[in-house]
Amino acid sequence: MPGTLFLCATPIGNLEDMTFRAVRILKEADLIAAEDTRNSIKLLNHFEIKTPMTSYHEYNKIEKGKKLISLLSEGKNVALITDAGTPGISDPGEELVRMCYGSGIPVTALPGASACITALTLSGLSTRRFAFEAFLPADKKERKEILAGFAAETRTIVLYEAPHRLVKTLEELLDAVGSRRLTVCRELTKKHETLWQTTVSEAAEYYREHAPKGECALVMEGRSRQELREEERAGWMELSLEEHMEYYLSRGLDKKTAMKQTAKDRGVSKRDIYQKLLGHN
């Protein structure tokens, strides 16, 4: 029988957030795969965990992943931990999980700390629907595309950012979406945790003058759905009724369906569209 891959969440700052189950599994596992063994050894020493460790990170995830799959196939149990938080969330753990499924190896998760969820629940913004982007990509083209997508995003957006890049990211957000409401969550669960309900523009102005310290999670409100609908409707109203209908007819919709969609776009009834078209003929 193959072993099991355990995804073990670890504290994002406060060691008391470690779960009893996670401590037990880390002690019982045959091997711990850690993103940074130098960082994780502090956690293991604190809880007197003597299980052997091996490194598993972004730059060795394929080669080391194959070795871990081999051990799991032999019946060894492997616990995966990241530097902080839940493995597989914005880290190479997702690749190992895919490899396990491809090899028929069981995977289970031990719930625990997550900076994304912690920041979201503390933000004071809507939590029903949210988009998690983690760290914005370094590639300029990809970064620009993601920022542009935020302009129409109606869900609450959660981002991570390092202090030395915070001002640049806030300025880019301001250019992309304007001054939406924002909660800056700094040093979550740690001694100097701070939560600041502000706006994108106010935060950018403040941190230009005051050098930010500590890792931050940014929680930004989404675009108003009503505002987005009004903007879309204004765009459709720039077309004549005939042009609007032709847009849908040229895409294969029958006349009845095209009239229904045109009416929806313009915020009127299908009967109104019919009568106006009839009056134009």
Side-chain angles (χ1 to χ4, degrees), residues 29-261:
D30 296 294
L31 181 68
I32 296 171
E35 187 174 8
D36 186 338
T37 56
R38 296 166 300 179
N39 180 66
S40 295
I41 192 63
K42 302 170 188 175
L43 175 76
L44 301 194
N45 287 341
H46 181 82
F47 291 102
E48 300 181 347
I49 298 168
K50 307 299 183 182
T51 307
M53 259 197 307
T54 188
S55 64
Y56 176 80
H57 48 72
E58 183 65 29
Y59 303 104
N60 73 351
K61 62 183 180 182
I62 301 301
E63 192 61 35
K64 181 56 69 72
K66 293 177 182 177
K67 293 179 181 179
L68 293 174
I69 292 296
S70 178
L71 289 171
L72 286 158
S73 299
E74 294 171 3
K76 303 294 185 183
N77 290 323
V78 176
L80 179 67
I81 59 177
T82 185
D83 281 348
T86 301
I89 301 295
S90 187
D91 85 357
E94 62 180 329
E95 181 64 37
L96 186 57
V97 171
R98 278 194 291 268
M99 294 173 75
C100 283
Y101 280 121
S103 301
I105 292 168
V107 181
T108 190
L110 281 61
S114 169
C116 169
I117 299 301
T118 303
L120 181 67
T121 55
L122 288 172
S123 69
L125 300 175
S126 174
T127 61
R128 190 176 71 84
R129 299 170 63 250
F130 69 95
F132 174 57
E133 283 293 342
F135 290 94
L136 289 171
D139 181 82
K140 290 183 179 180
K141 183 178 179 181
E142 186 181 359
R143 188 182 182 95
K144 186 176 181 180
E145 289 174 353
I146 290 174
L147 285 164
F150 289 167
E153 178 59 72
T154 58
R155 295 171 294 179
T156 300
I157 299 166
V158 183
L159 299 167
Y160 294 159
E161 196 49 276
H164 65 282
R165 293 192 301 262
L166 183 61
V167 172
K168 177 186 176 184
T169 295
L170 288 170
E171 289 174 343
E172 289 176 327
L173 287 172
L174 187 59
D175 289 340
V177 306
S179 188
R180 294 186 190 173
R181 287 195 298 160
L182 176 79
T183 302
V184 179
C185 305
R186 193 179 67 84
E187 295 288 87
L188 286 169
T189 77
K190 299 178 183 178
K191 181 178 180 180
H192 298 293
E193 173 183 283
T194 58
L195 306 167
W196 181 26
Q197 288 186 314
T198 179
T199 64
V200 177
S201 61
E202 186 178 22
E205 182 178 353
Y206 176 82
Y207 285 117
R208 287 189 198 106
E209 301 297 327
H210 304 81
K213 297 178 181 179
E215 298 289 329
C216 290
L218 306 175
V219 187
M220 182 174 68
E221 73 174 341
R223 179 82 177 275
S224 161
R225 288 189 180 185
Q226 180 62 32
E227 182 183 325
L228 192 59
R229 282 194 293 267
E230 290 174 357
E231 187 176 289
E232 290 174 348
R233 185 171 299 165
W236 286 118
M237 296 303 287
E238 292 179 3
L239 298 177
S240 68
L241 198 55
E242 290 79 8
E243 289 172 335
H244 200 156
M245 279 288 292
E246 183 56 33
Y247 173 82
Y248 288 116
L249 293 171
S250 66
R251 282 159 176 74
L253 272 64
D254 59 72
K255 191 171 183 178
K256 183 178 180 180
T257 304
M259 287 175 61
K260 183 178 180 181
Q261 188 59 49

